[in-house]
Amino acid sequence: MKKTLLATAIIGALSATAAAQAATVYDQDGTKLDIYGRIGLGIEGGGKQYNDKGQRINRSGDFVNVGSRLGLRMSQAITSDMTAFGRLEWRFKANSKEDAGNGFDELRQSYLGIQSQQYGTFQAGNFDSFYLQFVSSPFDVYINNGLQFAGNGKQSRGDSIGYYTPELEGFTAFLQLKNYSERGYVEDPNAPLSSGQHRTTEQGNVIAPQGGIRYENGPVTVGLGFVEDVRRGDGNGEMMYGLIGQYQFTDQFSARLGYENRQNNDSASYASYLDANPTKENGYNTVGLGATYTTGPWAFTGDFYNINRDGQDNSKAWSLGGYYKVSSAMDVFLEVNDNDAKAGNGRTHQQFDNLTDDAYWLTGVRYFF
């Protein structure tokens, strides 16, 4: 679906569901094929001063790829109410020949589905988590970094099925299941393992569900959802909940507020896992507040988070962004953020230093097609 640049190049950076401008290469007898993509180039710098081993690292600026991708969207009408659809999208690195390798470096989206205005939408494959699409999307406004709520890969991206209802009086309900299979794993606990082999676990096959409901009416958008954050999918094995909303005060200004909680895992096995992986988190409570302002070809964003972690250091996180529409297919941008600013208790300048010590910045240009 074609959109203006303000929705794709600027606001597109401010919404997980925004799509780039697309060229229709075939549209006949109910069958449609669109091709779309973008090339993004930038320079990044700053960030953490130390790596996970406590070693000081170089933080100078460097040329980087910024979310370059190429995709196809397909659809075919089955009846007047029902449509079959598919999507296929690859990532590639556009900043250098060496980084690009043989071309595409990631299959980002690959799924099929059936959509009905009366019965809803069912899809299967590799896609962004429904939790992001229906709950945390108001905060997914940054090109890189900045989002502290659960993002597109949360218990998703492959081996997933999902369903969401048609909108009814502003309400849309959703449910998604992610499958982690042990098919082909070695069952004998004493058998030697070759390279690439895995041994079955006590858990066996695992299903990670997520679901919830979104309400949209005029300027109000509110999403309430849950995710069973299983350990197999890099979670802590506990439930995660989120309540996130946005209010559009005017055509130019909107504000957002959100809360997300993941329960704490007190088991001895997870405590041992955290000891071996100190960068991983257990339970947490996160509160976020942000706003977006647009004027003419400009858009500006700002977000602040307070993160309370169970048994680990608490922190603040902040992000700022500026975006300018150069043409109908190109934008330039600047983003600055610190995803783990330490909470300071000293004087004002000490608190400022704590909030900016590990500040990361990214600036660049993107072309949409």
Side-chain angles (χ1 to χ4, degrees):
M1 181 174 61
K2 292 188 176 181
K3 297 179 181 291
T4 64
L5 181 66
L6 193 59
T8 57
I10 296 179
I11 300 303
L14 313 179
S15 171
T17 59
Q21 289 178 326
T24 299
V25 296
Y26 184 86
D27 188 359
Q28 187 173 348
D29 299 328
T31 299
K32 186 176 181 180
L33 174 64
D34 291 342
I35 184 170
Y36 68 94
R38 70 177 182 233
I39 299 174
L41 298 171
I43 302 174
E44 68 175 1
K48 291 184 178 180
Q49 301 182 56
Y50 299 90
N51 61 20
D52 295 340
K53 297 181 179 180
Q55 301 165 320
R56 192 174 183 90
I57 57 177
N58 186 297
R59 303 195 302 155
S60 58
D62 189 21
F63 285 94
V64 293
N65 175 69
V66 186
S68 299
R69 63 191 60 172
L70 176 67
L72 300 172
R73 281 194 294 267
M74 302 147 277
S75 65
Q76 185 176 50
I78 301 173
T79 68
S80 59
D81 176 65
M82 189 171 295
T83 301
F85 65 86
R87 184 173 177 183
L88 188 59
E89 182 179 292
W90 302 270
R91 285 186 187 273
F92 61 90
K93 294 181 179 178
N95 56 300
S96 73
K97 179 180 178 181
E98 291 77 11
D99 289 341
N102 294 322
F104 299 116
D105 65 335
E106 179 186 350
L107 182 62
R108 187 175 182 273
Q109 308 266 6
S110 52
Y111 59 89
L112 302 170
I114 299 289
Q115 183 176 46
S116 166
Q117 297 297 322
Q118 182 177 0
Y119 299 108
T121 299
F122 173 85
Q123 63 188 56
N126 166 29
F127 49 87
D128 290 344
S129 75
F130 279 7
Y131 180 90
L132 169 72
Q133 296 181 51
F134 292 98
V135 180
S136 59
S137 59
F139 280 84
D140 188 25
V141 299
Y142 294 95
I143 297 171
N144 194 36
N145 295 334
L147 176 64
Q148 294 300 306
F149 295 127
N152 55 31
K154 176 59 69 176
Q155 303 298 346
S156 190
R157 287 299 180 87
D159 300 326
S160 299
I161 59 174
Y163 169 79
Y164 56 92
T165 66
E167 183 178 309
L168 180 62
E169 300 294 332
F171 289 95
T172 303
F174 66 93
L175 177 66
Q176 179 184 335
L177 303 176
K178 161 77 171 180
N179 180 55
Y180 295 94
S181 174
E182 292 189 350
R183 178 178 170 82
Y185 285 20
V186 177
E187 293 185 338
D188 187 345
N190 300 314
L193 297 180
S194 302
S195 176
Q197 284 188 314
H198 300 276
R199 201 182 307 278
T200 57
T201 66
E202 293 181 359
Q203 289 181 309
N205 296 339
V206 174
I207 300 293
Q210 58 183 279
I213 191 166
R214 180 183 65 187
Y215 176 73
E216 288 186 306
N217 185 16
V220 178
T221 300
V222 180
L224 173 65
F226 74 89
V227 179
E228 186 173 347
D229 207 5
V230 301
R231 290 183 60 178
R232 191 76 64 81
D234 203 30
N236 73 336
E238 300 293 334
M239 295 297 296
M240 188 195 79
Y241 303 94
L243 177 61
I244 298 172
Q246 178 174 272
Y247 190 85
Q248 191 78 35
F249 287 92
T250 68
D251 291 341
Q252 294 179 293
F253 178 75
S254 66
R256 47 192 172 267
L257 177 66
Y259 172 78
E260 190 173 272
N261 166 267
R262 188 171 72 180
Q263 296 174 339
N264 197 53
N265 187 335
D266 296 322
S267 69
S269 63
Y270 195 72
S272 299
Y273 172 78
L274 289 177
D275 289 340
N277 300 271
T279 61
K280 299 296 184 180
E281 291 184 339
N282 201 341
Y284 61 82
N285 289 280
T286 300
V287 177
L289 176 65
T292 296
Y293 177 74
T294 62
T295 176
W298 289 95
F300 302 95
T301 63
D303 292 87
F304 183 82
Y305 295 85
N306 184 68
I307 307 168
N308 291 318
R309 302 182 178 91
D310 294 318
Q312 295 173 302
D313 291 338
N314 300 329
S315 67
K316 315 293 183 183
W318 58 268
S319 298
L320 297 171
Y323 312 86
Y324 180 77
K325 179 183 68 173
V326 177
S327 72
S328 62
M330 179 179 285
D331 72 352
V332 295
F333 59 87
L334 171 64
E335 294 182 348
V336 184
N337 64 67
D338 191 334
N339 286 341
D340 191 20
K342 300 304 178 185
N345 297 316
R347 290 174 292 181
T348 301
H349 75 278
Q350 292 174 324
Q351 293 177 343
F352 180 80
D353 289 343
N354 283 332
L355 288 173
T356 58
D357 275 347
D358 296 331
Y360 164 88
W361 56 269
L362 173 69
T363 186
V365 58
R366 300 183 300 169
Y367 185 89
F368 295 79
F369 59 91

